[in-house]
Amino acid sequence: MTAAATESEILTVARQQVLEEGTGLSQEQVLDVLRLGDEHIPALLSLAHDVRMRWCGPEVEVEGIVSVKTGGCPEDCHFCSQSGRFPTPVRAAWLDIPGLVKAAAETAATGATEFCIVAAVRGPDARLMSQVRDGIKAIRDSGNDIQIACSLGMLTQEQVDELVDMGVHRYNHNLETARSHFPDVVTTHTWEERWETLRMVRDAGMEVCSGGIIGMGESLEQRAEFAVQLAELDPHEVPMNFLIPQPGTPYESFDIVEGKDALRVVAAFRLAMPKTMLRFAGGRELTLGDLGAEQGILGGVNAIIVGNYLTNLGRPAQQDLDMLSDLKMPIKALSDSL
């Protein structure tokens, strides 16, 4: 059998297994997809889109994020400009309650249905938990019924229960990369510690949001490993980030992921997790450009962060909303439970 025939067979098997049966690809199968030649990318993206449409539908969830505590983090995540261990331009700062309410209102005004409160910490202390509680109450008192998610680092069981009591419906804590690669990316805590937080979140009834960053020196084999580890976690949402090399971090000189490789990863992750919300997040503008955003939405992605990220500028929110309108992709409505 020729190499070309073998590659065609990979897509044929994936179509039957994932599109028709709804069963995600195995680690070996994901690796086969990641190794597909450039000439197969259009067919791969088309299949990923078909899978998304069949198992998730046409709706796109739009989210805005805001950092309530920026910079000064004690952890040494090598990609992160918010680590206090690296000489980056980011300085520690807190957002007050009125600022949080304003950010939530601005997010809702874009048409977003999700607002995520983020803090650069190892895990929340009593001060941060109190501020999040007061912030959520103030947002609700303002009449804003946008769904609220949080990303506050590693949690204790007591903190998980507190967030549930506050009405937080989804918790983000990225695994970041494959288990085998994690020690090369972070040394101040373990992959297993992150997994344990996510387990508690899931058991408490909150939606689990966990993804990572592509382009941190991982191999294709480790990208495939990461995809199936996320699938095993069975998250409600997987944010797809692409490394933005940050000045002052150990990864400041890393190359940007090439657009074709980024699209291959997006499609491969969709085929590994056919029923999961796959969200475009940081680095997509740098890696894919304006056209790439559209290709991703038509290649398996069904959620998107609009506006700016934590320490990096994104595209104007209206630009993404216009793109969704042009593609006839409806924005997901607020949960009926609200």
Side-chain angles (χ1 to χ4, degrees):
M1 187 176 290
T2 67
T6 301
E7 292 191 338
S8 297
E9 186 179 53
I10 289 168
L11 292 177
T12 299
V13 171
R15 177 170 292 276
Q16 174 64 38
Q17 177 179 325
V18 187
L19 180 60
E20 302 301 330
E21 301 171 8
T23 302
L25 298 184
S26 68
Q27 183 170 334
E28 182 179 358
Q29 289 174 313
V30 173
L31 181 58
D32 285 341
V33 168
L34 292 173
R35 287 173 170 166
L36 287 173
D38 291 352
E39 68 275 16
H40 292 281
I41 291 178
L44 173 61
L45 294 175
S46 178
L47 173 57
H49 179 65
D50 289 345
V51 168
R52 168 266 176 108
M53 293 295 286
R54 170 157 189 182
W55 296 106
C56 299
E59 289 186 329
V60 176
E61 186 182 88
V62 176
E63 179 184 44
I65 60 176
V66 66
S67 179
V68 69
K69 191 269 181 180
T70 303
C73 182
E75 305 305 287
D76 73 344
C77 306
H78 293 7
F79 55 84
C80 188
S81 62
Q82 300 199 65
S83 172
R85 295 171 179 258
F86 308 135
T88 73
V90 176
R91 295 293 174 261
W94 286 80
L95 183 66
D96 60 18
I97 299 301
L100 193 60
V101 173
K102 180 182 177 183
E106 291 173 347
T107 297
T110 68
T113 56
E114 183 88 10
F115 179 65
C116 188
I117 300 171
V118 183
V121 292
R122 176 184 175 88
D125 58 14
R127 173 190 177 188
L128 178 55
M129 291 294 287
S130 177
Q131 185 175 21
V132 170
R133 182 180 289 276
D134 292 345
I136 292 174
K137 182 179 184 301
I139 290 169
R140 294 298 181 229
D141 288 347
S142 73
N144 190 342
D145 62 355
I146 194 168
Q147 295 188 105
I148 295 177
C150 284
S151 181
L152 311 173
M154 291 175 284
L155 302 174
T156 64
Q157 184 62 60
E158 181 180 3
Q159 290 168 336
V160 170
D161 295 339
E162 284 187 62
L163 292 174
V164 171
D165 182 64
M166 293 178 201
V168 174
H169 87 111
R170 183 181 300 165
Y171 194 78
N172 165 255
H173 192 48
N174 289 338
L175 289 173
E176 303 299 7
T177 191
R179 185 175 186 172
S180 67
H181 187 51
F182 192 88
D184 295 327
V185 178
V186 184
T187 68
T188 49
H189 61 267
T190 66
W191 190 91
E192 289 77 11
E193 287 176 283
R194 287 179 176 252
W195 183 277
E196 177 62 14
T197 286
L198 294 165
R199 182 198 63 76
M200 289 189 292
V201 165
R202 181 176 56 197
D203 290 350
M206 279 189 284
E207 292 181 357
V208 171
C209 171
S210 186
I213 303 174
I214 302 300
M216 298 193 294
E218 73 281 353
S219 65
L220 288 185
E221 288 81 3
Q222 287 169 326
R223 289 179 184 177
E225 176 193 346
F226 186 36
V228 297
Q229 286 167 345
L230 286 171
E232 181 184 349
L233 180 64
D234 191 26
H236 181 83
E237 173 190 345
V238 171
M240 298 289 297
N241 297 273
F242 300 96
L243 181 69
I244 303 174
Q246 300 288 342
T249 67
Y251 291 170
E252 64 179 345
S253 62
F254 273 36
D255 292 333
I256 296 167
V257 176
E258 291 188 11
K260 290 180 180 179
D261 289 336
L263 290 173
R264 252 187 293 259
V265 170
V266 167
F269 274 53
R270 168 54 68 203
L271 297 181
M273 295 172 280
K275 302 174 184 179
T276 298
M277 187 183 300
L278 204 59
R279 185 182 299 278
F280 256 155
R284 63 184 172 95
E285 298 87 358
L286 190 63
T287 298
L288 294 167
D290 292 343
L291 179 60
E294 181 175 322
Q295 288 179 310
I297 292 291
L298 294 176
V301 169
N302 63 331
I304 194 167
I305 291 176
V306 295
N308 297 328
Y309 305 107
L310 300 178
T311 58
N312 294 281
L313 296 177
R315 300 202 314 171
Q318 193 58 50
Q319 193 172 346
D320 281 326
L321 297 176
D322 289 344
M323 174 191 66
L324 296 177
S325 177
D326 292 342
L327 295 175
K328 295 181 171 52
M329 298 289 178
I331 295 174
K332 184 178 180 181
L334 283 172
S335 169
D336 292 338
S337 65
L338 289 179

